[in-house]
Amino acid sequence: MAPSIEICPEIKQRAGNLFIRMSSLIVAGLGLAGIAFGGRWAMIAFQRIKSSNISATIPKLNFKGYYKGGFEEKMSKREASLILGISSTSPKERIREAHRRIMLLNHPDRGGSPYLAAKINEAKDYLEKQKRAN
């Protein structure tokens, strides 16, 4: 039979305190490592977003002919062509492309103004009606 070794209660208490201190240091170290890896991941993600060419996915707008005045009470050929950003003699396909491009940016379901959307639609309808009449 093996002799039993009795450990002093004070030594047991010190060993328990040492274990608690060591485990809290390990937890703190793991927490710092997690923060470091998270920060590294965030920096890499930010660099990827910054270096990607997001502006290529946004339609290009031509602000050279930006019309600074308000809307006329009754739609005219000039106003319709200014709203859509095309010539008043443009073909139907060009009118539809310009309408689609502008409506993607100003649609009320995507946060655009219902008034602007109505004016854009009115301009498209007016120019298409002019094409049908000719």
Side-chain angles (χ1 to χ4, degrees), residues 53-60:
N53 195 0
I54 293 176
S55 63
T57 60
I58 299 172
K60 301 287 185 208

Side-chain angles (χ1 to χ4, degrees), residues 52-90:
S52 70
N53 195 0
I54 293 176
S55 63
T57 60
I58 299 172
K60 301 287 185 208
L61 297 176
N62 183 6
F63 289 113
K64 291 178 187 174
Y66 177 65
Y67 181 61
K68 296 181 182 176
F71 294 111
E72 296 173 12
E73 194 171 314
K74 187 174 179 194
M75 184 67 63
S76 68
K77 194 175 195 179
R78 178 180 174 274
E79 184 181 31
S81 62
L82 284 172
I83 289 171
L84 295 178
I86 57 174
S87 170
S88 59
T89 59
S90 297

